[in-house]
Amino acid sequence: MDGERIVIVEGITDKKKLNKVLDEKIEIICTHGTLGIERMEEMIFEHNLDERTVYILVDEDDSGFKLRKMLTEELPHAEHIYIDKAFREVAATPEPELARALLSRHFSVKSMYLI
């Protein structure tokens, strides 16, 4: 899969947290919770997701599991980034922990979060 990388997250606080840790410009889109089929198709089309390297980073809770499952069905080529279940939410994950998760997928992260 070529094309620019893009990360799909649930909410705006997740997006802010990622931007705080990332040391590169990556497009991040928010689903704002679970998506209906129509909204999902719009998102895939608008962002050309079938032609891009897609990463899914969602909360480790029921709504996150549902969303990850739905996104996986629609975007089988997507790669997954997981946070530790102990933190449950992306927004609640400490920056160094999030930095490690992003590094594992070869994203550039700010060195101050690498401890």
Side-chain angles (χ1 to χ4, degrees):
M1 199 50 42
D2 278 341
E4 286 181 59
R5 297 186 298 169
I6 187 166
V7 180
I8 300 174
V9 296
E10 284 179 86
I12 199 80
T13 52
D14 300 339
K15 182 177 180 172
K16 285 178 182 166
K17 188 81 165 218
L18 248 65
N19 278 325
K20 185 178 178 183
V21 174
L22 284 167
D23 199 20
E24 62 180 305
K25 198 89 186 105
I26 297 284
E27 187 176 355
I28 302 168
I29 52 176
C30 301
T31 64
H32 304 289
T34 53
L35 296 166
I37 295 301
E38 199 173 294
R39 180 71 193 103
M40 173 78 78
E41 287 173 0
E42 266 173 42
M43 186 179 76
I44 291 169
F45 181 75
E46 278 173 32
H47 298 280
N48 197 24
L49 298 182
D50 287 329
E51 305 301 320
R52 295 176 72 179
T53 304
V54 179
Y55 294 86
I56 299 169
L57 175 59
V58 295
D59 295 345
E60 290 292 318
D61 59 14
D62 287 345
S63 63
F65 296 142
K66 281 183 195 144
L67 182 58
R68 191 182 290 278
K69 185 176 188 286
M70 185 188 290
L71 289 167
T72 302
E73 286 170 8
E74 294 295 324
L75 301 163
H77 67 284
E79 294 191 39
H80 298 270
I81 304 171
Y82 294 95
I83 55 162
D84 191 312
K85 285 177 178 57
F87 304 114
R88 289 190 52 127
E89 297 177 0
V90 174
T93 303
E95 285 85 357
E97 195 67 37
L98 191 55
R100 275 194 291 278
L102 291 165
L103 263 181
S104 75
R105 292 289 184 223
H106 311 288
F107 285 94
S108 295
V109 296
K110 294 182 180 127
S111 57
M112 64 189 278
Y113 296 120
L114 300 176
I115 46 172

